[in-house]
Amino acid sequence: RETVVIVIDNKMNGTLYETEKPLIIVVDDTDIMRSTTSKLLSRKGYRTREYESADAFYDSVHKGIAGIPHLVLMDSDMNECIEPVLDGPSAIGKIREDYPLFFQGVHFIGMTGFAGKNEPKFNAVGVDTVFQKPFDMGYFFKTIGELPALQYAPSLCLQETI
């Protein structure tokens, strides 16, 4: 007799995820914004990973170490002191262009302090929505909670003895 364990994970938008807690990437050049957003998301049960620039996130995607997130929260403008090559909208466009299969079911949300200037750039690369900073946290959590890939249930685990 042999015991076989079969794990059936959630399947959202054609992407199979390994765990039941959605992964949200937070990309922002402002330490306090990045860490506060991550902390609040963690308290709501999400896993988070932080990047200080669009370049750093793109580089980790390119190297295969970023994983496949359920959602990417991307700041629009990056700090000129770190000499970014990519701003937020450019990074999203490049990721979608270079890795279309891996990021097919991934949601992207833009974050900006200058909606009038940056919202059209984000919309041009097909983000789900754009949040104007500072944003209303109730509306923020309601919006991301309604995204299909973030509506999760525990994985189903079947055990069969043969």
Side-chain angles (χ1 to χ4, degrees):
R1 296 183 65 148
E2 183 179 324
T3 300
V4 177
V5 177
I6 302 168
V7 177
I8 303 171
D9 280 322
N10 297 328
K11 188 172 183 181
M12 298 288 179
N13 295 336
T15 306
L16 192 60
Y17 298 109
E18 298 173 359
T19 64
E20 62 189 52
K21 285 183 163 187
L23 172 62
I24 299 177
I25 302 290
V26 180
V27 183
D28 199 305
D29 61 324
T30 308
D31 289 339
I32 192 73
M33 184 69 181
R34 192 174 59 246
S35 64
T36 301
T37 304
S38 289
K39 228 177 264 185
L40 291 169
L41 288 165
S42 293
R43 287 183 187 156
K44 292 284 187 181
Y46 298 109
R47 294 177 300 135
T48 62
R49 213 172 275 154
E50 301 176 23
Y51 293 90
E52 69 178 12
S53 71
D55 293 300
F57 177 55
Y58 181 83
D59 191 46
S60 70
V61 167
H62 181 70
K63 291 177 180 174
I65 56 176
I68 305 297
H70 296 76
L71 169 65
V72 176
L73 297 171
M74 180 75 73
D75 187 23
S76 55
D77 296 320
M78 300 297 158
N79 187 341
E80 289 85 25
C81 295
I82 57 174
E83 296 186 37
V85 175
L86 298 171
D87 64 1
S90 299
I92 292 169
K94 191 160 175 54
I95 287 167
R96 286 195 163 151
E97 183 180 307
D98 294 350
Y99 305 98
L101 294 177
F102 292 113
F103 283 82
Q104 181 179 6
V106 176
H107 296 283
F108 287 89
I109 291 180
M111 301 185 299
T112 181
F114 307 99
K117 172 184 149 196
N118 294 316
E119 192 166 0
K121 294 178 189 177
F122 275 123
N123 289 333
V125 294
V127 297
D128 292 271
T129 193
V130 179
F131 287 113
Q132 166 78 41
K133 293 190 237 177
F135 41 82
D136 175 280
M137 294 312 288
Y139 178 70
F140 172 76
F141 284 115
K142 179 183 181 298
T143 302
I144 65 171
E146 291 173 351
L147 296 171
L150 277 80
Q151 297 173 1
Y152 65 98
S155 300
L156 176 61
C157 184
L158 307 173
Q159 185 169 333
E160 183 71 37
T161 303
I162 13 181

